[in-house]
Amino acid sequence: MNLCTDQLAMMVAGEGQLLSVSNMASDPRSSAMVSRAAAYLTNHGLAEEIYLMQPDLVLAGNFSAQATVDMLRRLGIPVAVFNQAYTLEDVRDRLTQMGDVLKQQDQAAMLVAQYDAQLATYREDVTLRPRAALYYANGYTAGDKTLAGQILTTAGLFNIATEAGFNADGIIPMEILVMAQPDTVITSRPYPGASRSEEVNAHPAIEALRRTRPDAALTSSDWVCGTPFVLQAISDMVDLRRALQANTP
Amino acid sequence: MTRLGLFLSAFVAVLFMTALVIGPANIGVAQSLKALVAGGEGPMTLVMREIRLPRALLAMMIGAALGLAGAAMQGYLRNPLADPGLIGVSGSAALGAVLAIQTGLAAAFAFGLPLAALAGAVIGVFLVMALAGPRGSSLTLILAGIAISALAAAFTSLVLNLSPNPFAANEIVFWMMGSLADRSMTHVWIALPLIVLGSIMLLSLSRGLDALTLGEDAAAAMGIGLGRMRLTLIFGTAAVIGASTAVAGAIGFVGLVVPHLLRPLVGARPGRLLWASAFGGAAMVLAADIAVRVILPTRDLKLGVVTALVGAPLFLHLIYRTRRDAV
């Protein structure tokens, strides 16, 4: 009943072990496993529908609605709660935890090994780090204590949010962002239907920053959850870094 | 009168400069003004020209628009409680703007957004004036305003909640409270024409409003067409409030506080109060926008919060006085 546990479960679970995933798992904007999610029943994270499925175990995130989790427990259904991943290390731990919970330790261990091996290939020494800024709707940015911040740093980019004093998520004033003179601004992919919150990404000051830089980078569903898909995000960012470095001799 | 004018324009000028040199990025006063005027490459010019200048300009324009609309409505209705925010005009303008954004009208052509807000505001003013009547009591006016505000707010929330965009629902608070954060010159250009047009219409009411203090019959005898005045007021108010709300959300109480403070200084003549309130409103919104940036620079405190904190106690005081006068 949580986007991230859904994806971890789909990776780790054995044949017939997983019954239903949340509707978020089929949303191409958030989920990296849309096609695989189609093979399962869809739930909307509501206690009533989940209870009627009579599962042996419910997998929830620590940001899932607490009232729903409590009610399912009252109804006698065990709920395993997974904390949100804030670091690249957390991804391994969540995979292992999912393996333990679903009694698929071997499958989880294999995924962890693959993950570690691939992650190691990205950890090369970068002497010249291009300056990058994460800039989401409403002016949110992410510092080094977040998954997105770690993706940037691992890919050899310098996150200007750390320079501005952000550790976790926070709103960075546009003025600070402009004064920091990032080499690239990474924004989120806009949702359908307009919103004022996303307008900041089209602000003339941000456009001016982008004008002379390579194509604006966008975060995708690979960034959302602490799953091995973050490797894809890192790889995209490595490509961006190479493009930036090719552009500025 | 000229002394007051000089004082108010100097006050607005000082606040405007202050708004330009205050911001989260630490730039020296001399440096920032040099970057603004001289230009040049570099981030400082970008900050000054694309972020701070539009914000200060909008604060000034919108403040003037709100003050002017408040003074005009109070003069015409001869009721000190008439404020575009309180009587639901801003709320219905916000509904028009939200509809324009969600239906894509705002993206389709440049003036889609302010014109839709204008349409919303016209409906709002028209409903209030129809419900309260030209000589309606304060009570009827405020009650009509509450009903229209509530209805407009409900529809605004409904539209934003139905939007497929997950951020839209969070913006309800922007439309209710107003903010000038991260606006750009684009917003200045789409709001300016309607604000100028509406202000000219409202300022043209000056003579009529003065005559109206003598009573409707006397005004009619002096050759003032009341029907035309009413139409000018409705469309003038709707134009300035519509354009302001479209870019900055509903900012309340400015049109209430400013005319109230300035009325004794202009000898209680509603005609003169019009231009004085325009300057006063500009000063108030500039000051409020400086306050939100000084108090909580990184949190985007809404402008309407500050204006309501100043305005609501005064509103209570006015209600109390109206009641005392009635008995």
Side-chain angles (χ1 to χ4, degrees):
Chain A
M1 53 179 277
N2 170 284
L3 173 65
C4 300
T5 55
D6 285 343
Q7 297 189 52
L8 286 170
M10 284 190 274
M11 282 175 215
V12 176
E15 195 73 24
Q17 210 175 3
L18 185 63
L19 175 67
S20 163
V21 293
S22 76
N23 55 328
M24 294 284 284
S26 334
D27 176 1
R29 283 167 200 286
S30 321
S31 167
M33 298 176 75
V34 176
S35 53
R36 283 186 55 188
Y40 303 95
L41 291 175
T42 301
N43 71 68
H44 301 83
L46 300 173
E48 194 175 300
E49 55 177 356
I50 293 174
Y51 179 72
L52 287 175
M53 290 176 190
Q54 289 287 317
D56 299 318
L57 177 70
V58 172
L59 306 167
N62 59 333
F63 286 111
S64 295
Q66 194 56 45
T68 314
V69 171
D70 288 347
M71 172 166 294
L72 287 169
R73 284 189 172 143
R74 258 200 319 276
L75 293 170
I77 296 175
V79 180
V81 175
F82 289 73
N83 289 330
Q84 194 187 338
Y86 290 108
T87 64
L88 293 174
E89 276 298 297
D90 285 350
V91 177
R92 314 174 71 243
D93 300 346
R94 296 299 169 273
L95 278 171
T96 314
Q97 187 191 354
M98 186 57 81
D100 292 344
V101 168
L102 294 179
K103 309 273 184 300
Q104 296 280 355
Q105 282 92 343
D106 294 348
Q107 169 77 1
M110 192 196 79
L111 287 168
V112 168
Q114 274 179 6
Y115 173 76
D116 281 347
Q118 269 204 52
L119 191 59
T121 63
Y122 294 120
R123 290 199 195 276
E124 48 183 306
D125 273 334
V126 183
T127 42
L128 207 83
R129 287 170 171 266
R131 301 159 64 79
L134 289 163
Y135 200 56
Y136 302 142
N138 279 333
Y140 268 89
T141 189
D144 248 2
K145 296 259 165 31
T146 63
L147 202 55
Q150 297 215 337
I151 290 174
L152 275 194
T153 314
T154 308
L157 292 161
F158 178 79
N159 185 357
I160 63 134
T162 54
E163 194 179 60
F166 289 91
N167 278 323
D169 294 324
I171 296 175
I172 185 168
M174 197 186 284
E175 289 186 12
I176 302 279
L177 179 77
V178 172
M179 290 301 283
Q181 288 201 280
D183 293 315
T184 184
V185 180
I186 300 152
T187 56
S188 46
R189 205 178 291 274
Y191 283 87
S195 79
R196 245 197 106 255
S197 309
E198 288 164 342
E199 239 180 53
V200 289
N201 288 334
H203 192 283
I206 302 297
E207 300 271 295
L209 280 181
R210 282 181 178 161
R211 200 163 299 141
T212 52
R213 317 300 197 301
D215 272 354
L218 294 167
T219 63
S220 65
S221 53
D222 296 329
W223 294 64
V224 180
C225 281
T227 67
F229 285 104
V230 295
L231 294 168
Q232 184 58 43
I234 295 175
S235 150
D236 290 345
M237 286 301 106
V238 170
D239 291 346
L240 172 71
R241 171 170 60 84
R242 298 223 168 97
L244 282 168
Q245 282 165 338
N247 213 30
T248 46
Chain B
M1 175 168 166
T2 36
R3 268 225 319 266
L4 179 67
L6 278 176
F7 171 74
L8 282 175
S9 40
F11 193 44
V12 170
V14 168
L15 284 170
F16 185 75
M17 296 312 278
T18 316
L20 280 178
V21 296
I22 282 185
N26 252 328
I27 316 178
V29 175
Q31 270 178 309
S32 54
L33 294 180
K34 193 172 147 243
L36 176 69
V37 181
E41 287 298 304
M44 228 180 267
T45 313
L46 206 56
V47 166
M48 293 307 296
R49 287 196 176 167
E50 298 292 350
I51 299 175
R52 290 196 194 168
L53 183 64
R55 185 167 187 161
L57 284 175
L58 280 173
M60 197 163 66
M61 281 159 47
I62 288 167
L66 292 170
L68 186 58
M73 296 208 86
Q74 293 178 16
Y76 180 79
L77 296 167
R78 277 158 289 165
N79 187 333
L81 297 181
D83 164 71
L86 285 176
I87 62 174
V89 182
S90 300
S92 31
L95 175 60
V98 165
L99 281 174
I101 290 179
Q102 294 301 332
T103 55
L105 183 70
F109 77 116
F111 288 99
L113 180 65
L115 286 178
L118 169 94
V122 168
I123 296 172
V125 194
F126 189 78
L127 276 178
V128 160
M129 308 246 307
L131 283 169
R135 317 204 51 177
S137 70
S138 301
L139 195 62
T140 342
L141 182 74
I142 295 301
L143 284 178
I146 289 173
I148 291 167
S149 293
L151 192 65
F155 274 120
T156 306
S157 305
L158 178 68
V159 171
L160 289 172
N161 272 323
L162 286 177
S163 162
N165 192 308
F167 294 110
N170 294 331
E171 286 161 16
I172 295 172
V173 65
F174 162 81
W175 291 110
M176 307 286 162
M177 290 313 240
S179 164
L180 286 170
D182 299 335
R183 306 280 78 189
S184 63
M185 282 316 260
T186 326
H187 297 108
V188 175
W189 295 126
I190 62 172
L192 191 63
L194 278 178
I195 289 186
V196 169
L197 185 75
S199 300
I200 293 171
M201 289 170 82
L202 290 177
L203 284 169
S204 76
L205 293 174
S206 169
R207 210 174 68 88
L209 288 179
D210 279 345
L212 208 54
T213 51
L214 304 170
E216 274 171 27
D217 296 339
M222 287 166 74
I224 306 289
L226 283 178
R228 234 189 99 208
M229 246 183 99
R230 195 180 163 95
L231 274 181
T232 314
L233 179 77
I234 290 181
F235 282 99
T237 307
V240 296
I241 299 299
S244 306
T245 309
V247 295
I251 301 167
F253 293 105
V254 176
L256 179 85
V257 174
V258 170
H260 176 74
L261 289 179
L262 294 174
R263 191 167 287 119
L265 300 178
V266 294
R269 285 181 53 185
R272 282 202 213 156
L273 188 59
L274 286 180
W275 62 260
S277 294
F279 277 103
M284 180 171 170
V285 174
L286 276 169
D289 194 42
I290 291 170
V292 298
R293 280 186 284 176
V294 171
I295 299 170
L296 283 173
T298 54
R299 296 284 182 81
D300 185 21
L301 177 65
K302 300 292 180 237
L303 253 187
V305 176
V306 177
T307 55
L309 282 176
V310 178
L314 179 77
F315 183 48
L316 291 176
H317 167 74
L318 285 176
I319 291 179
Y320 177 72
R321 226 181 47 187
T322 316
R323 198 193 64 180
R324 201 185 50 194
D325 291 348
V327 254

